[in-house]
């Protein structure tokens, strides 16, 4: 018997011998293949050179014009004529694409290469020197010397034959056979298998198998949860439910303790002292159970991001910048608050280096554009409308705003006089940018939203309420009943789809998770107009040469009803008072007819931009509207340094701190305020007041009250903590709170209801708005909804 060490040594030598032989075989094969490629290339180069020489020869023969040759052609010309057909045939042969392939196929390791050039050789040999014979000199070929065909042919023939015509094995095969014979002589099968049993490889294999079969307590890997631990966790999480059934908390603790007693004996002996009470032990058991579950989850690579009611795939920004998506319900050139204010918000948020900004606005098909956009202005493509929006914005803010503009499909509702999204609006924000969402008019965006939940896709969702829909609806037929349902639907969708809601004023309904704060600013152009007027007044010029005016879309809900009622009641008190009214709208004819019937001194003019030069010299802006949430025109008039006469209403709460804002409660107060404004001069704005009206201040208020500052700071602190402390072990997150479960249930119920076309139509939705249509696909270059969502649940 051979000793263990000798057997191990012999088996190692055997493996070394085989690997060495295989490396030599591989190197030899690579060298042979390289030689074949070089020879094929050299033959091709030689043929190309020969072809070029023949062409030169023919050209020289055809252009040679010596008279002696013309009279008696030499023998060389006859030789060329004889040779030309053969050369043409040869040229066709080696010029074909299959030539190189055929050469390499024949040039196998065990075959002998013979290229039959006898036809050409015989034609050349009869005319050239017969004494040139022999083997091709490869060194001269590498140096670039042109070789005769007999030299080339002779070398290839000789290379294919060796040892007096006896065929030989391919060199790699011959080496492998030699190595195997030596191996058979030196080793026997018994020695080889003894070596396999005792060598290092087998020892490592045995240790690997043992590690797989180890007991859980001996393994370094975290053992899975056993049944008592799972039951203990289930009982503890079901505590509130069991409490409703009469099972007290201390009983649940005892059940958890009994289920975890086996594990506790192993894990808690090191941490518990004999004198600790049962309450401490129960607390430690809960902590240890949490850490135990967290360690198991961490060992499997699982990261908990929510439960049944929450999202599992929220985007975590990989770069230092956050991504903010602003989604609104209107777009320029429709001059409405939800088109203008979100545009300014995007521009000023994009100024910060902390976040990238995307503004998502509705795209209307041409038929809807003709109904909505003023002056018959339409766009044939989204790019054309984007260019219009950017030019309008840059003209007013005075800087190039660096943010992205995207479009989602929308349809115009004549009954509601608003744009309703078509399809799932959230899908038009890529998942990689789904970080922070700002929903301008969240109730409006989500009335018929049938798609992914905003709070599931985005890390933080902020809603900004622009419009007092209840006030508008109450003016319609059966308005009280409609307002009742709309109020609860607004509560439903804002609670289900937002983390935080900002109300511009207390004029809106009290929504869940909401706070009142004005996060709108004034177009910088109006502040510049105010500065210009203040400078004129300082040098003694008359800044205001006109009286009072009102500007707004000519629909009853925009304050025209209140204006006509006030002027009709106080016609005698305002004798000689004249008011210019600027506006266009659906109710223009009815408003003008009512004013004419009551013989009111109103001068109706076409609507125009509030920054128009014709409006700068008016001294008093009158706005009796109580349906606005926060009137943009009021803020613009104050920024231009004018008096503003407005109702004492929650929508005007923000403006009360300005000395030029005159509020009234009764019709008598209205008369007094109008006379006061006409008889006095407004006070110039202080720098602090101008700043409070600006978009810089509005953006700062938005960052504070929307909790974006906290979100950004938490991310930065989390990154620092992760860099300093490395991979941390955290406790597992418990089940969602009751509030989160209710919100998730509301979102799921809303998804189910809005997926049914019959229910959508019953609640006033535009038919076919659950998905976008073919025209939207064509305009926005979208895939059909059937391709985007091949499986539809509802």
């Amino acid at each position: 018997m051979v000793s263990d060490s000798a057997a191990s040594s012999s088996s190692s030598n055997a493996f070394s011998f085989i690997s060495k032989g295989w490396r030599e075989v591989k190197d030899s094969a690579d060298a042979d293949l390289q030689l074949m490629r070089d020879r094929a290339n050299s033959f091709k180069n030689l043929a190309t050179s020969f072809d070029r020489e023949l062409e030169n020869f023919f050209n020289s023969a055809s252009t040679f014009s010596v008279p002696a040759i013309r009279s008696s052609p030499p023998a060389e010309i006859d030789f060329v004529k004889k040779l030309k057909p053969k050369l043409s045939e040869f040229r066709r042969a080696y010029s074909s694409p299959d030539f190189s392939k055929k050469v390499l196929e024949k040039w196998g390791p065990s075959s002998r290469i013979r290229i039959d050039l006898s036809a050409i050789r015989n034609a050349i040999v009869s005319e050239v020197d017969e004494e040139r014979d022999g083997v091709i000199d490869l060194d001269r070929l590498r140096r670039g010397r042109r070789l005769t065909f007999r030299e080339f042919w002779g070398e290839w023939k000789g290379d294919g034959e060796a040892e007096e015509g006896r065929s030989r094995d391919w060199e790699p095969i011959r080496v492998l056979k030699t190595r195997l014979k030596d191996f058979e002589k030196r080793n026997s099968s018994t020695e080889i298998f003894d070596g396999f049993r005792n060598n290092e490889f087998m020892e490592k294999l045995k240790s690997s198998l043992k590690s797989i079969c180890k007991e859980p307590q001996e393994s370094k890997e975290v053992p899975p949860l056993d049944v008592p631990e799972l039951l203990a966790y289930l009982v503890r999480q079901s505590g509130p439910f069991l409490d409703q059934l009469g099972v007290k908390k201390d009983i649940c603790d005892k059940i958890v303790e009994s289920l975890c007693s086996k594990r506790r004996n192993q894990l808690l002996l090191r941490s518990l002292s004999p004198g600790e009470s049962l309450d401490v032990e129960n607390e430690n058991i809960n902590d240890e159970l949490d850490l135990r579950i967290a360690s198991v989850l961490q060992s499997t690579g699982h990261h908990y991001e929510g439960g049944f009611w929450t999202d599992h795939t929220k985007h975590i920004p990989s770069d230092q910048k956050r991504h903010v998506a602003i989604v609104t319900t209107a777009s320029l050139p429709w001059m409405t608050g939800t088109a203008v204010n979100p545009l300014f918000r995007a521009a000023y948020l994009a100024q910060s280096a902390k976040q990238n900004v995307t503004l998502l606005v509705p795209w209307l098909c041409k038929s809807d554009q003709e109904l909505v956009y003023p002056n018959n202005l339409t766009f044939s493509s989204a790019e054309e409308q984007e260019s219009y929006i950017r030019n309008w914005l840059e003209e007013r803010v005075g800087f190039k705003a660096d943010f992205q503009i995207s479009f989602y499909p929308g349809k115009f509702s004549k009954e509601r006089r608003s744009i309703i999204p078509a399809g799932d609006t959230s899908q038009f924000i890529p998942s990689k940018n789904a970080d922070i969402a700002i929903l301008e008019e969240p109730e409006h965006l989500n009335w018929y939203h049938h798609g992914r939940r905003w709070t599931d896709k985005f890390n933080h969702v902020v809603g900004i309420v622009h419009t007092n829909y209840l006030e508008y609806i109450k003016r319609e037929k059966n308005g009280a009943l409609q307002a009742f349902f709309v109020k609860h639907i607004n509560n439903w969708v804002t609670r289900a789809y937002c983390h935080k809601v900002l109300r511009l004023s207390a004029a809106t309904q009290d929504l869940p998770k909401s706070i009142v704060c004005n996060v709108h600013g004034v177009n910088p152009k109006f502040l510049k107009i105010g500065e210009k007027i203040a400078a004129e007044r300082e040098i003694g010029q008359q800044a205001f040469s006109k009286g009072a005016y009102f500007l707004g879309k000519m629909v009853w809900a925009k304050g025209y009803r209140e204006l006509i009622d006030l002027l009709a009641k106080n016609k005698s008190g305002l004798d000689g008072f004249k008011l210019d009214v600027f506006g266009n709208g659906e109710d223009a004819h009815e408003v003008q007819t009512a004013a004419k019937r009551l013989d009111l001194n109103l001068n109706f003019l076409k609507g125009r931009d509030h920054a128009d030069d014709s409006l700068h010299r008016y001294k008093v802006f009158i706005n009796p509207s109580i349906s606005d949430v926060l009137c943009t025109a009021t803020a613009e008039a104050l920024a231009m340094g004018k008096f503003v006469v407005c109702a004492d209403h929650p929508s005007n709460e923000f403006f009360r701190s300005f000395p030029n804002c005159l509020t009234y409660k009764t019709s008598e107060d209205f008369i007094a305020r109008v006379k006061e404004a006409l008889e006095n001069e407004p006070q110039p704005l202080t720098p602090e007041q101008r700043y409070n009206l600006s978009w810089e201040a509005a953006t700062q208020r938005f960052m504070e009250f929307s909790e974006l500052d906290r979100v950004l700071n938490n991310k930065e602190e989390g990154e620092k903590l992760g860099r300093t402390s490395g991979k941390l072990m955290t406790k597992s997150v418990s089940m969602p709170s009751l509030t989160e479960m209710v919100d998730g249930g509301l979102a799921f119920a809303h998804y189910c209801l809005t997926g049914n076309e019959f229910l959508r139509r019953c609640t006033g939705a535009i038919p076919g708005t659950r998905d976008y249509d073919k025209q939207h696909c064509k305009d926005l270059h979208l895939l059909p909804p059937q391709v985007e969502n091949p499986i539809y649940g509802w």
Side-chain angles (χ1 to χ4, degrees), residues 97-151:
D98 297 331
F99 177 77
S100 299
K101 182 178 179 182
K102 292 178 179 178
V103 170
L104 290 176
E105 288 176 353
K106 291 182 179 180
W107 210 339
S110 61
S111 65
R112 290 170 293 180
I113 300 173
R114 293 187 180 90
I115 300 178
D116 188 8
L117 302 177
S118 59
I120 300 176
R121 185 190 62 178
N122 294 335
I124 297 175
V125 168
S126 61
E127 302 296 334
V128 300
D129 187 7
E130 291 288 340
E131 294 181 357
R132 287 194 179 181
D133 194 3
V135 180
I136 188 170
D137 188 350
L138 293 178
D139 293 333
R140 287 184 295 166
L141 178 61
R142 294 188 187 97
R143 291 195 298 269
R145 178 187 177 280
R146 292 196 301 271
L147 304 173
T148 65
F149 271 66
R150 293 195 64 185
E151 291 174 346

Side-chain angles (χ1 to χ4, degrees), residues 263-436:
R263 179 67 59 180
R264 183 190 60 182
N265 293 334
Q266 299 174 5
L267 298 179
L268 299 182
L269 288 177
R270 296 188 300 270
S271 59
L272 291 179
S273 60
E276 288 180 324
S277 64
L278 181 60
D279 292 337
V280 176
E281 290 182 2
N282 288 337
E283 182 180 356
N284 286 335
I285 287 175
N286 290 330
D287 291 343
E288 291 293 341
L289 183 59
D290 274 337
L291 291 174
R292 171 88 175 99
I293 294 172
S295 64
V296 172
L297 291 176
Q298 191 176 37
S299 67
T300 59
H302 172 77
H303 298 281
Y304 182 86
E305 292 186 353
F308 178 78
W309 302 104
T310 55
D311 181 40
H312 298 270
T313 57
K314 284 187 178 179
H315 169 66
I316 300 176
S318 58
D319 54 3
Q320 294 300 321
K321 279 194 173 184
R322 306 302 296 264
H323 297 269
V324 178
I326 302 175
V327 188
T328 186
T329 56
S331 175
L332 295 178
W334 192 12
M335 296 300 296
T336 184
T338 51
V340 174
N341 291 311
L343 182 60
F344 282 113
R345 194 184 327 282
Y348 283 90
L349 277 177
Q351 279 189 312
S352 173
K354 290 184 178 181
Q355 57 269 333
N356 295 320
V357 179
T358 299
L359 177 64
L360 191 62
V361 298
W363 167 261
L364 298 178
C365 298
K366 210 154 197 176
S367 57
D368 283 340
Q369 293 182 30
E370 294 170 351
L371 297 174
V372 177
Y373 299 152
N375 304 322
N376 297 321
L377 184 61
T378 59
F379 305 97
S380 58
S381 66
E383 292 78 12
E384 185 180 349
Q385 186 171 1
E386 179 180 352
S387 178
Y388 176 91
I389 294 172
R390 291 191 183 278
N391 292 336
W392 185 93
L393 176 66
E394 291 177 11
E395 181 183 349
R396 283 153 179 79
V397 298
F399 60 86
K400 188 174 180 62
D402 184 17
F403 65 94
Q404 182 181 356
I405 297 178
S406 299
F407 292 84
Y408 68 87
K411 289 188 176 182
F412 181 68
S413 172
K414 295 180 181 179
E415 294 77 14
R416 297 177 184 270
R417 294 174 180 173
S418 57
I419 298 172
I420 303 298
D424 179 12
T425 308
S426 66
Q427 77 180 77
F428 296 94
I429 298 296
S431 296
K432 64 180 181 179
N433 297 335
D435 182 14
I436 298 169

